[in-house]
Amino acid sequence: MAFKSLYVHWPFCLRRCNYCDFLSHTYSEVKAQATAYPQALQQEMRMYRAYADELVSIYFGGGTPTVLPAKALVETLDFIRQTFAVREDAEITVECNPATADEAYLRQLRQAGFNRLSLGAQSFQDAELRRLGRAHNAAAIEQAVADARAAGFENLSLDLMYALPGQTLADLQYNLQAALRLKPEHISLYSLQLDNDSPWGRQYAKGLLSAAEEDLETDMLLYSWQQLREQGYAQYEIANFALKGQHDFRSRHNRLYWQREDYLGVGLGAASCLFLQRWQNCGNLDDYLHNLQQMHRPPVEEEELTMAQCMSEVMFMGLRQAAGVDIYPVISRFRVDPLRFYANELPPLYAAGLLEYSADAHSLRLTPKGMLLANQVFLAFIKDDIEDIQYRPSAPPEDIEI
Ligand code: SF4
């Protein structure tokens, strides 16, 4: 096994949003470290060269990668090409905050080989954007889309949030219609999470902020799914929609993740998964930089997974996709039939109308009702009290020694 998907984390933002608990720093406060950061990334990537397959997906995420000078991103991508084999048609994504990039900036990225731009729009209403603490307004999103098109990006994704405190169905309808008018090739639609370590998460824990009512959230989802379908978008995952047409605009990066393929994540706090080993880099920026300047692997938290854990992840992550989980590859991967392995868990899910098995497609998939109650379904696939699967593939990689 070897990774063919590379994630590069850029932990810097113009400013911190009120709902965010991602690992990121305000750029202006850590400029010196941010300047040293690309070198550290390169050093870290060198350490994993031997474990790389030909890369089919490269993803620059954050944080806000585009808060850095374009040169830093371009040079990092050049380094990746020199260090790893990169397939000619690799998907190369960069996340962008609309306030951080103009046409000239985006043109540099496009010319360097980035071919997919993921714009964090979140809302098209200035009042909502201010409450969220976003660094941009609605006009900046429209400008960023125009700039991206002028710069040559033909694969554009917009992130939208719903279920914001105080948000009405009409607000969501307004945001979605505004997004659709921009004709992005891809839309991600995520509900606001308040159970985290963010300013809003802490207010929520103290009862100072209310989450959206469950019924309203459901109405928002049903409205969005229908609108997106009518506008020609295929829902290929619970929260992700790709424009149907000649090209496949589904996110390859995300699909590899949901199919639980191996991936390498580099950068502050980045997670990686290679065969049965999973690890996460330290979250302290100075420690991260210092270790790599000394040619040491940054401190990591590691976990050795059992085959049973791995299979349960294959199941519940795979079920996020509309196509569901094709059970034949699972059988050949684990030498276990998931229909038998989960023989006690599946019937109640079928009976509740949450899950269905298609014998023709030999796949298990969520029903529309299951998509609404997906977390409830996923819990059934997490079995801690079971013996591990005995089968081991013939040549697992050695433990990673740097
Ligand atoms: S721009 Fe994104 S990563 Fe940065 S603080 Fe806001 S939500 Fe978090």
Side-chain angles (χ1 to χ4, degrees):
M1 292 250 182
F3 65 89
K4 52 188 175 185
S5 173
L6 173 66
Y7 174 81
V8 184
H9 189 66
W10 298 87
F12 311 106
C13 291
L14 273 181
R15 66 176 193 225
R16 303 282 300 146
C17 301
N18 291 328
Y19 57 90
C20 179
D21 72 340
F22 292 168
L23 198 46
S24 184
H25 296 269
T26 304
Y27 181 61
S28 58
E29 293 171 4
V30 291
K31 242 180 169 167
Q33 291 100 316
T35 306
Y37 191 75
Q39 281 302 320
L41 285 175
Q42 293 188 10
Q43 183 54 34
E44 190 184 3
M45 284 188 266
R46 275 190 201 101
M47 293 176 170
Y48 296 103
R49 195 186 255 163
Y51 301 96
D53 203 340
E54 189 179 43
L55 299 182
V56 299
S57 169
I58 300 167
Y59 194 102
F60 281 26
T64 306
T66 51
V67 81
L68 279 99
K71 187 168 176 277
L73 307 187
V74 168
E75 287 179 357
T76 303
L77 182 57
D78 287 347
F79 174 84
I80 291 170
R81 289 188 190 284
Q82 289 157 20
T83 307
F84 304 109
V86 178
R87 207 167 80 183
E88 204 179 327
D89 69 344
E91 177 185 275
I92 306 178
T93 304
V94 57
E95 289 181 350
C96 174
N97 180 308
T100 55
D102 59 14
E103 184 186 330
Y105 183 103
L106 293 171
R107 195 176 290 280
Q108 289 180 68
L109 300 190
R110 184 70 193 95
Q111 284 171 353
F114 290 93
N115 52 28
R116 185 169 183 272
L117 189 74
S118 176
L119 270 178
Q122 316 309 355
S123 164
F124 281 81
Q125 298 179 67
D126 289 347
E128 275 185 354
L129 289 165
R130 272 195 301 276
R131 268 193 291 137
L132 289 165
R134 300 288 300 174
H136 62 89
N137 58 21
I141 305 169
E142 296 184 12
Q143 185 61 51
V145 170
D147 288 342
R149 295 303 192 197
F153 279 95
E154 294 174 344
N155 189 353
L156 190 64
S157 179
L158 288 185
D159 284 357
L160 279 182
M161 293 174 76
Y162 70 96
L164 310 180
Q167 190 179 46
T168 64
L169 181 59
D171 289 327
L172 180 272
Q173 290 170 337
Y174 179 91
N175 291 340
L176 187 62
Q177 293 303 334
L180 287 168
R181 274 196 295 280
L182 295 174
K183 300 195 183 337
E185 284 71 29
H186 187 276
I187 291 183
S188 298
L189 186 67
Y190 290 104
S191 67
L192 174 72
Q193 298 303 309
L194 287 174
D195 52 350
N196 60 21
D197 186 23
S198 66
W200 274 12
R202 289 188 286 278
Q203 283 185 36
Y204 176 66
K206 289 182 193 158
L208 302 173
L209 197 69
S210 306
E213 296 289 331
E214 231 171 79
D215 286 353
L216 176 60
E217 239 186 269
T218 303
D219 289 346
M220 287 177 168
L221 271 184
L222 293 176
Y223 169 82
S224 304
W225 291 354
Q226 186 185 344
Q227 280 299 304
L228 285 157
R229 216 171 20 245
E230 286 175 12
Q231 298 289 322
Y233 289 81
Q235 182 177 17
Y236 70 100
E237 192 266 350
I238 293 172
N240 285 278
F241 304 81
L243 197 58
K244 290 188 254 181
Q246 281 181 315
H247 299 285
D248 183 358
F249 291 115
R250 295 175 300 168
S251 161
R252 190 184 287 164
H253 170 81
N254 288 349
R255 276 189 296 141
L256 287 167
Y257 179 74
W258 295 318
Q259 288 158 14
R260 214 202 165 284
E261 295 285 339
D262 290 348
Y263 59 91
L264 177 71
V266 293
L268 190 71
S272 302
C273 196
L274 196 52
F275 191 57
L276 293 176
Q277 277 182 280
R278 181 156 52 209
W279 68 91
Q280 181 169 20
N281 285 346
C282 68
N284 181 294
L285 184 56
D286 290 326
D287 283 353
Y288 176 81
L289 292 172
H290 179 73
N291 275 280
L292 285 156
Q293 280 156 2
Q294 304 296 313
M295 310 288 187
H296 297 145
R297 190 185 186 195
V300 294
E301 270 184 32
E302 280 178 293
E303 186 185 7
E304 180 82 24
L305 301 173
T306 65
M307 286 291 274
Q309 279 175 314
C310 188
M311 187 166 94
S312 105
E313 291 182 6
V314 165
M315 296 305 294
F316 71 74
M317 284 160 66
L319 283 171
R320 295 192 61 88
Q321 303 173 101
V325 177
D326 182 340
I327 63 160
Y328 285 177
V330 179
I331 292 170
S332 74
R333 197 165 169 183
F334 297 96
R335 301 288 192 273
V336 168
D337 181 347
L339 298 182
R340 288 198 191 153
F341 194 72
Y342 295 105
N344 294 330
E345 288 77 12
L346 293 174
L349 297 171
Y350 297 146
L354 298 171
L355 197 65
E356 60 193 8
Y357 177 67
S358 158
D360 291 345
H362 36 85
S363 70
L364 271 173
R365 59 175 177 242
L366 295 174
T367 61
K369 182 179 170 191
M371 283 232 176
L372 286 170
L373 300 170
N375 288 338
Q376 194 177 312
V377 178
F378 299 158
L379 280 178
F381 290 90
I382 301 171
K383 302 210 296 181
D384 289 333
D385 57 340
I386 45 158
E387 285 191 16
D388 194 14
I389 297 168
Q390 293 309 312
Y391 167 71
R392 288 287 179 282
S394 54
E398 299 296 315
D399 280 358
I400 293 169
E401 295 286 349
I402 304 298

